[in-house]
């Protein structure tokens, strides 16, 4: 079991040593611990079952951890600059990888263990390492891990981006050092891309900031780091930094903070001077509170802002944040666009009807179609539609819903999701409200018809690369709705797609189908046809089982 035994024996014999002595030494020094371990395992497996295997492995792992000498391991590694061969033999086995992780947490500064982590990462097990505190101490491990997380997220669509973001927050938001490094790298990437900076990068930044604000012991840390990386400092004479920090901490855009920001941004903009970073205004925790102050009277019975004299300042700041980039030249065309957007916001704020009846809604629909061309106005329209539909216990549906027609507000939401992909989560949340609504006066069959109408609109979201959140939602709703509704969702979703299907799509769909299989078997032929085609084109045991349970196609 000693890897240097052969070399030692050859040296001994080469120096004229007696073979008998070396044989005697080898025989009496051999304890056979590995062989005894295998024998114990074999005996226990014969007497019981395979459940004892994990207990034996855990015991061995614990003994390794207890007897590990980090200084000796580092000394040997520094001398040879090579990892022991047994590390490569341990890596394919999860129990031994976990042993190395435990040792690394106990000896975070160990050079040999740091190299072992790098070897594990090189073998494709980075995802396991996101929860290790010690990873951040090894730059050669942390940086590739960070880069890989970024590379996974950047091309990701709405279907799977949240899972990758969770992996990233586990890696990054474990301490000040890793958080600063990640935000610094992201900011440099965004500045390098300039106007080409993707919304995904901004979303990563905001996700990390939100996580730190909500979960870290020092909630102000994220605010201070954000401002410092923008060249600002809280607590001194920097009026912009203090106002931004105040809004983020209070989640409320006070008139005083807005006056400060307007003075700093508008005055420098009007004079053609260097304007403070627009990214500070564009931060959701700054922009959304200002939007609430300006427009919440549209969807809230208790408007937040009663200072109409400040309304122009709110609207200008919102418009500037949505139109301009840092260091962008403000030519006449851009200034004209800024003034036009402010005018549009004023028009929307003054003319959009609150809790409209169908007649008033039809009168304003032409202007609404124009407003939703602009992302910031489209967001306001979504919130307005949410209030319109849900007001007074979803009385809109009680008054205007007919199963033969699709409610115009639902169609308008679909159009907004198509024009502005970043608003899909908000649109989906409005659809979910309507799907889960219990409309007073609706008999069960009419409530189911409403749910199916909403499903038709949700299915359109699936076609817009928003399958994962939708499938997850309906998996959670199976026990809360009639099974025929779930079958209709499966049919309405599958009828839009053709094979081949990705595993991320077909596995949740198979699991959903399995839970309502009794209702699937008695579904109408129209619904069964796409389900059969789906199952026939999936190479999975569950798909084959489900297909075998379906009735044969009707001869029509």
């Amino acid at each position: 079991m000693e890897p240097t035994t052969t070399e030692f024996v050859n040296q001994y014999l080469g120096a004229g040593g007696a073979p008998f002595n070396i044989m005697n030494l080898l025989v009496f020094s051999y304890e056979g611990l590995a062989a005894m371990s295998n024998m114990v395992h074999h005996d226990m497996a014969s007497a019981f079952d395979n459940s004892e295997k994990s207990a034996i492995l855990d015991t061995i792992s614990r003994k390794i951890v207890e007897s590990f000498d980090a200084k000796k391991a580092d000394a040997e590694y520094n001398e040879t600059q090579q990892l022991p061969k047994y590390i490569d033999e341990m890596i394919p086995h999860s129990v031994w990888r976990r042993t190395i992780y435990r040792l690394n947490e106990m000896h975070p500064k160990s050079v040999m263990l740091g190299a072992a982590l790098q070897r594990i990462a090189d073998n494709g097990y980075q995802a396991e390492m996101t929860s290790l505190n010690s990873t951040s101490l090894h730059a050669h491990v942390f940086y590739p891990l960070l880069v890989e997380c970024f590379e996974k997220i950047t091309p990701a669509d709405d279907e799977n981006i949240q899972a990758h973001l969770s992996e990233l927050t586990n890696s990054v938001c474990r301490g000040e050092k890793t958080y600063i490094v990640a935000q610094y790298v992201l900011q440099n990437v965004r500045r390098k891309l300039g106007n080409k900076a993707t919304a995904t990068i901004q979303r990563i930044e905001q996700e990390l900031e939100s996580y730190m604000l909500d979960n870290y012991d020092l909630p102000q840390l994220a605010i201070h780091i954000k401002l410092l990386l923008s060249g600002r400092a809280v607590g001194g004479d920097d009026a912009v930094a203090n106002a931004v920090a105040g809004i983020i901490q209070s989640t409320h855009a006070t008139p005083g903070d807005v006056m400060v920001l307007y003075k700093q941004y508008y005055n420098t903009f009007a004079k053609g001077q260097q304007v403070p970073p627009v990214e500070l205004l564009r931060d959701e925790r700054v922009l959304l509170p200002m939007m609430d102050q300006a427009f919440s009277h549209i969807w809230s019975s208790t408007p937040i802002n009663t200072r109409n004299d400040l309304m122009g300042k709110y609207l200008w700041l919102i418009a500037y944040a949505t139109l301009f980039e840092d260091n962008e030249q403000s030519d006449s065309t851009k200034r004209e666009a800024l003034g036009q957007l402010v005018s549009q916001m004023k028009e929307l704020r003054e003319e959009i009807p609150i809790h409209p009846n169908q007649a008033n809604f039809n009168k304003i629909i032409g202007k609404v179609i124009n407003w939703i061309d602009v992302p910031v106005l489209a967001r306001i329209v979504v919130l307005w539609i949410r209030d319109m539909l849900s007001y007074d216990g979803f009385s809109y549906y009680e008054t205007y819903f007919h199963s033969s027609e699709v409610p115009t507000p639902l169609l308008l939401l679909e159009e907004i999701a198509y024009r502005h992909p970043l608003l899909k989560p908000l649109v989906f949340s409005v659809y979910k409200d309507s799907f889960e609504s219990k409309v007073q006066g609706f008999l069960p069959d009419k409530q189911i018809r409403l749910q199916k109408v909403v499903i038709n609109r949700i299915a359109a979201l699936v076609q817009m690369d928003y399958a994962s959140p939708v499938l997850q939602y309906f998996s959670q709703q199976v026990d809360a709705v009639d099974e025929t509704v779930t079958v209709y969702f499966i049919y309405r979703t599958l009828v839009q797609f053709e094979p081949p299907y990705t595993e991320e799509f077909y596995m949740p769909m198979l699991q959903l189908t399995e839970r309502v299989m009794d209702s699937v078997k008695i579904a109408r032929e129209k619904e069964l046809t796409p389900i059969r085609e789906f199952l026939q084109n999936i190479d999975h045991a569950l798909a084959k089982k489900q297909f075998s349970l379906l009735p044969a196609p009707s001869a029509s």
Side-chain angles (χ1 to χ4, degrees):
M1 298 300 293
E2 172 56 49
T4 61
T5 298
T6 302
E7 181 183 353
F8 173 78
V9 169
N10 290 334
Q11 289 177 351
Y12 179 82
L13 294 175
F20 176 81
N21 291 336
I22 193 66
M23 198 68 175
N24 191 49
L25 180 64
L26 289 174
V27 169
F28 285 100
S29 65
Y30 178 67
E31 296 182 9
L33 296 178
M36 282 192 288
S37 177
N38 288 334
M39 184 176 65
V40 170
H41 163 62
H42 181 270
D43 291 345
M44 293 183 68
S46 301
F48 303 100
D49 53 33
N50 288 329
S51 61
E52 95 295 335
K53 183 175 181 180
S54 61
I56 294 175
L57 295 178
D58 288 343
T59 301
I60 296 172
S61 174
R62 187 172 66 252
K63 290 297 183 181
I64 292 173
V65 171
E66 291 174 356
S67 60
F68 183 77
D69 188 334
K71 291 183 179 180
K72 182 178 178 181
D74 286 349
E76 292 179 358
Y77 177 77
N78 290 331
E79 182 179 346
T80 63
Q81 290 300 306
Q82 290 184 344
L83 285 170
K85 292 182 180 179
Y86 60 77
I87 293 293
D88 289 324
E89 296 174 0
M90 294 172 72
I91 287 176
H93 306 283
S94 60
V95 64
W96 305 132
R97 291 197 304 274
R98 289 196 300 270
T99 302
I100 296 174
Y101 299 153
R102 289 174 61 191
L103 287 170
N104 205 274
E105 295 290 273
M106 295 173 63
H107 308 281
K109 297 183 179 181
S110 170
V111 180
M112 191 277 274
L113 291 174
L117 281 187
Q118 179 64 58
R119 185 69 59 85
I120 292 174
D122 292 343
N123 279 269
Y125 298 103
Q126 293 93 330
E128 295 181 350
M129 302 164 63
T130 57
S131 61
L132 298 180
N133 287 315
S134 55
T135 302
S136 61
L137 297 177
H138 305 288
H140 58 291
V141 177
F142 179 69
Y143 286 118
L145 185 63
L146 187 63
V147 169
E148 180 174 343
C149 287
F150 289 161
E151 288 176 345
K152 286 181 181 178
I153 295 174
T154 303
D157 55 28
D158 287 313
E159 288 193 38
N160 51 24
I161 191 171
Q162 192 57 50
H164 294 317
L165 282 171
S166 298
E167 180 182 330
L168 179 63
T169 54
N170 287 336
S171 302
V172 169
C173 298
R174 304 190 66 83
E176 297 94 326
K177 292 180 294 184
T178 52
Y179 178 75
I180 292 173
V181 169
Q183 286 289 20
Y184 178 75
V185 171
L186 281 169
Q187 189 175 72
N188 284 339
V189 170
R190 182 162 47 77
R191 285 176 175 171
K192 184 177 180 180
L193 293 175
N195 293 334
K196 298 180 181 179
T198 62
T200 303
I201 291 178
Q202 297 176 26
R203 181 173 177 182
I204 294 171
E205 291 179 323
Q206 293 174 356
E207 187 77 16
L208 296 181
E209 289 171 11
S210 297
Y211 187 93
M212 294 295 282
L213 284 168
D214 296 339
N215 299 287
Y216 206 67
D217 292 337
L218 300 174
Q220 296 183 13
L221 175 70
I223 302 172
H224 285 263
I225 291 175
K226 177 183 182 65
L227 293 168
L228 285 171
L229 290 175
S230 301
R232 302 276 164 172
V234 180
D237 297 329
D238 193 327
V240 172
N242 293 331
V244 168
I247 293 174
I248 294 177
Q249 288 174 323
S250 67
T251 68
H252 180 74
T254 66
D257 289 332
V258 170
M259 284 293 293
V260 168
L261 292 176
Y262 180 77
K263 180 180 178 181
Q264 295 292 324
Y265 280 86
Y266 178 79
N267 288 350
T268 52
F269 175 81
K271 296 175 182 178
Q273 299 174 350
Q274 181 68 38
V275 182
V278 70
E279 66 186 44
L280 299 179
L281 280 184
R282 193 175 291 155
D283 189 297
E284 282 192 357
R285 287 167 299 280
V286 177
L287 185 60
L288 295 186
M290 289 196 294
M291 291 177 63
D292 282 340
Q293 295 281 30
F295 297 100
S296 65
H297 69 287
I298 296 172
W299 57 77
S300 174
S301 58
T302 55
I304 298 176
N305 187 9
T306 57
R307 293 285 302 273
N308 288 326
D309 57 314
L310 294 178
M311 193 49 56
K313 296 176 175 58
Y314 279 97
L315 299 183
W316 188 91
L317 287 170
I318 294 168
Y320 182 82
T322 57
L323 283 179
F324 280 81
E325 301 287 341
D326 284 325
N327 303 317
E328 183 177 1
Q329 296 296 323
S330 57
D331 55 23
S332 59
T333 303
K334 202 72 175 179
R335 287 174 178 268
E336 183 180 345
L338 178 62
Q340 183 179 0
L341 180 53
V342 171
S343 298
Q344 284 181 302
M345 287 193 288
K346 287 181 179 177
E347 180 186 44
L348 184 153
R349 189 174 186 277
E350 294 169 0
E351 296 188 20
I352 199 165
I354 301 173
H355 311 316
N357 56 32
Q358 194 66 40
N360 290 335
F361 179 79
N362 291 337
K363 287 179 183 179
I364 198 70
I365 190 67
K367 289 186 176 181
V368 172
I369 294 296
N370 291 327
W371 289 335
I372 65 174
D373 272 336
V374 183
V376 66
L377 300 183
R379 180 184 178 88
I380 296 168
V381 170
V382 172
L383 296 175
W384 171 63
I385 292 175
R386 165 180 271 169
D387 177 71
M388 181 199 317
L389 296 176
S390 61
Y391 177 69
D392 193 21
F394 293 88
S395 61
Y396 178 91
Y397 290 123
E398 186 176 10
T399 306
Y400 300 112
F401 175 70
H402 304 285
S403 56
S404 59
E405 301 175 2
V406 180
T408 306
L410 297 184
L411 291 174
L412 196 57
L413 289 172
E414 182 179 331
E415 181 66 19
I416 291 172
Y418 177 76
R419 295 190 191 185
H420 308 291
L422 290 179
L423 291 177
K424 283 187 283 190
L426 184 60
V427 168
F428 184 41
S429 71
V430 180
Y431 284 153
K432 289 190 292 185
D433 290 344
S434 291
F435 183 80
E436 297 173 19
S437 66
K438 304 297 180 185
V439 182
Q440 186 176 3
F442 271 21
L443 295 175
D445 63 327
K446 193 170 185 179
Q447 187 73 47
I448 288 176
R449 289 201 299 272
L450 172 60
Q451 289 178 321
K452 290 183 176 181
V453 167
V454 176
I455 283 175
N456 289 336
R457 310 277 59 83
I458 293 177
L461 283 182
V462 176
Q463 204 168 26
M464 297 180 202
D465 293 329
Y466 203 69
S468 183
V470 171
L471 291 173
Q472 183 179 8
Y473 171 72
F474 275 92
S475 295
Q476 297 167 348
Q477 290 293 311
V478 169
D479 297 330
V481 300
D482 191 283
E483 284 196 0
T484 59
V485 173
T486 303
V487 173
Y488 183 78
F489 166 74
I490 295 171
Y491 150 73
R492 188 62 183 80
T493 301
L494 292 178
V495 78
Q496 302 178 117
F497 297 99
E498 294 180 351
Y501 308 99
T502 64
E503 184 175 357
E504 291 79 7
F505 175 77
Y506 75 69
M507 279 308 302
M509 189 62 77
L510 284 176
Q511 292 163 1
L512 188 61
T513 304
E514 181 71 14
R515 295 176 66 181
V516 293
M517 197 62 204
D518 290 340
S519 295
V520 170
K521 289 187 289 187
I522 60 174
R524 296 176 301 167
E525 184 60 32
K526 178 183 177 181
E527 296 173 336
L528 283 172
T529 300
I531 295 176
R532 283 197 197 94
E533 181 180 355
F534 168 70
L535 296 176
Q536 279 181 309
N537 285 277
I538 301 299
D539 185 17
H540 192 279
L542 186 57
K544 292 179 173 60
K545 171 197 167 188
Q546 291 176 2
F547 183 79
S548 68
L549 297 175
L550 297 181
S554 59
S556 59

